[in-house]
Amino acid sequence: MRTAIIVFPGSNRERDMVMALRRSFGSDPVMVWHKDTELPDVDLIVVPGGFSYGDYLRAGAMGAHSPVMRTVKERADKGVPVLGVCNGFQILTEAGLLPGALMRNAGLKFVCKNVHLRVETAQSVFTSGYADGQTIAVPVAHNDGNYFADDTTLDRLEDRGLVAFRYVDETGSESDAANPNGSRRNIAGIFNDTKTVLGLMPHPEDAIDPLHGGTDGRGLFDGLARALA
Amino acid sequence: MSIPNVAITPEVVAEHGLSEDEYQVLLKIMGREPNITELGIFSVMWSEHCSYKSSKRWLKTLPTEGPCVIQGPGENAGVIDIGDGLAAIFKIESHNHPSFIEPYQGAATGVGGILRDVFTMGARPIANLNALRFGSPDHPKTRHLVHGVVAGIGGYGNCVGVPTVAGEVNFHPAYNGNILVNAMTVGLARTDRIFYSAAAGPGNAVVYVGAKTGRDGIHGATMASAEFSEDSEEKRPTVQVGDPFTEKLLIEACLELMQKDCIIAIQDMGAAGLTSSSVEMAGKGGLGIELDLDKVPVRETGMTAYEIMLSESQERMLMIIRPESEAEAKAVFDKWDLDFAVIGTVTETGRIVLKKDGAVQADIPVGPLVTEAPEYDRPHVPSPKRPVIAAADVPAPDSLTGPLARLLECPDMASRRWIWEQYDHLVMGDTMIRPGADSGVVRVQDTDRGLALTVDCTPRYCLADPETGGAHAVVETWRNITAVGGRPLAVTNNLNFGNPQKPEIMGQIVGAVAGMGAACRALDYPVVSGNVSLYNETEGQAILPTPVIGGVGLIDDVHKLCTPALKAAGETLVAIGQPADRTDGWLGASLYLREIEGREEGAPPPLDLAAERRTGDLVRGLIRDGRVSACHDVGDGGLLVAVAEMALAARGLGATLEVPTAALAHAWCFGEDQGRYVVATSDAGGVLAAAAAAGVPAMTVGAVTADGDLTVGAGDLISVETLRRRHEAWLPDYMAGGA
């Protein structure tokens, strides 16, 4: 199995992602520079966190127009799983691979802390390592994680089971207090129609080692490795 | 364009911050009247900020050598050997004056500058820290300044992707007109791939990389070398503007190029920009440099030589490379979309020669410019010794938990969560201890080792007794590293003081440096880098003396880290360093005296450096051997506050603190006697025996409980959740405008 991480100017969580992929997949990902138009044959493409192009214009807006993203879209269309975390999620929405947009946090401040997520469905290559409804603890670290989409889009996402993760409290209940950024309907991560593209704001890659303070992020990568094997 | 025809009048010389005597030295060096560009170059090179002219004499007395030291002060940052072929490279630097004038950009560019100091030497930055001082919370500017500084630090550090893992914040009216923003960066490099700044090899190319040069920040170093007055805000144009995205690219490009064999020397352009970088590189190499300023990438038209040389535009570096490496080096910077321009050559002349528009704009001998920089032995008077305040003379409160809650919610002690949640403290995936503990800890990637990092200073001690306060700042970092299980290795220091031309301020500097030196020597804890910020005064009002220490320690095994959080009910709390027969505590200059009694008085607690070392070595051994489950040093607010913080760091646990019947309870609980740690253990007998064997006093002081209450003595209790609410509420409430 091979994985690839797309590196943009300003990506900064690619190292974290390398550690997570290495641990679960047993091999190092291929690092693909954003100007490359060639993407090796891989089983998983990851768009990592960071500040691609300094978040200038809009978070993810310029990254979405990098040469490599055309290829990423083609692969996604063929069903190759694509995971976008944080800035990666922003890029995937800007690139039209996922619906909606990530706006400035409702609190108007960058927020870095642990949050709880409810796994809305374990029926996907990304979430098969979890149980339906399981509550996991992982950190967030972002300035623009406030997920927005119109009601029609949100209803559609819900009806089709395309909400992957929601912000909840430690007992698994949705509340405003558990929502770190004002995301509509507490949405932390969503799938595309075929559930082969996942975007989420939190960082499961920073919760894979007991020394991180928790290992709840492992489920995502371990599940992916098993599902893609 | 020719040389601007500005007459060099005494007023122009004075505006450049040069004294009459200094100007006479300049004339002797030049052998003629300088032009305005040359005057500008002397001005910034001889500014307090760049020349350390008031402090150098005293800085030389600090211990800077030790078995781990690879590079002490004098380079961009200090370098220590941490074993396995790796070096930790670190430095702290102030950005006080700009941050007061424009808090967001001032703080942001402070972070950018210190990052460059570290990656210039070949290190990948792996952690940021900051030490902040603001004025009274009641002062109308404070909220705005806190907001801007925190957002600026986060805005820069988060974007470049370096975790901010520790810091400290104080509020005091003495900082109303001069806040302090001290930023520290720690990086890692291979010991055989460390880059220095001395130019070498006449004929080699001088290369400019990074962002373009604009008119921002001209005379920033001079601004940082004068007192503020009412019109200081007019200096806003001298504050630089940061671009963390360009910095991130610059880090990656420089580190990529450093993998190749191209770079002879490299230096970032910080204070005094192209001037100090080129002069320092030439000076250290004993060579000359000739620059063609028409080749400098600029973002504005019509810039003069003066402006180009004094600009403090950010995210720029100067390198010396072999001419044959030019294409290879340029390809790296092209990849990262950064400017790369050969702007000059290294020469044998020993002179810095600047050309523009076909004319020589400046021609200065580098040697004397550097070596004949002024150095003063300014008059100094020691701070008057304060009387020792007897604990018995401090009124006893009605309860102990009441003052405890007040201390935990006072501005200097309240939770800093509102701040550090705005800093990405997790990026890079190696943060092992997050902000809020004694030290932040980052793992050395792909190993089981880590670095314990902390910044500390207690300005009220420094004001009370600069020598004790200076020593205390060193010891505090040493203790904080020890408390997580680290071996303290070396420090960087940031000396923040008022106007050194006032003998009492100079006395504070002399005292603090003496104390610092004594502590560093006693603990084998050398100073490897640092920064001095003077003239932190407004309308004659100086800041508290604030010699901040940044400490770096090594964690041999990250699996054996210790944190302050209590882990299990039923364990015993042992105070190590606490004599069993002590019946009171040191309340002079304490937080309790200030916050509860409203008195900023008294001599600070004395330090016994030999005892500190014995106690710390014992605690570190107990942690290494897994004999304690939690550890916290006793600092501000004393023993009761320390125990409360250990309960606050846990969830759902409580603790008891047993006050000896013979004790003066409030002094025993809140006294700030030095050299103490509280540990939680399931083997109190063993811990006490180990302490006895090491000749360290220790006593059982309480227990960890499951009831979620903090119980002091017989029945004086408060729930930990109540304490938590009050501890957590102050800062967010204040920032929301409520407090």
Side-chain angles (χ1 to χ4, degrees), chain A residues 13 16 56 112 114 209 212, chain B residues 243 421 424 428-429 434 443:
Chain A
R13 258 188 170 77
D16 313 42
Y56 295 140
C112 178
N114 272 6
D209 186 323
H212 283 144
Chain B
D243 177 1
E421 283 189 349
D424 191 336
M428 299 185 102
R434 301 182 185 193
R443 179 171 52 195

Side-chain angles (χ1 to χ4, degrees), chain A residues 9 11-13 15-16 19 22 33 35 51 53-54 56 109-112 114 139 141 206 209 211-212, chain B residues 158-159 161 243 245 248 335-337 421-429 432 434 443 445-446 558:
Chain A
S11 293
N12 67 24
R13 258 188 170 77
R15 278 167 47 119
D16 313 42
M19 285 193 275
R22 182 188 294 157
W33 181 235
K35 285 181 185 169
F51 287 73
Y53 296 92
Y56 295 140
K109 293 195 296 286
F110 189 95
V111 56
C112 178
N114 272 6
D206 284 338
D209 186 323
L211 291 166
H212 283 144
Chain B
N158 299 346
C159 183
D243 177 1
F245 174 59
K248 170 69 173 164
K335 169 187 167 186
W336 292 97
D337 291 324
E421 283 189 349
Q422 294 185 58
Y423 301 151
D424 191 336
H425 46 269
L426 301 175
V427 63
M428 299 185 102
M432 304 284 104
R434 301 182 185 193
R443 179 171 52 195
Q445 197 186 22
D446 298 332
V558 286

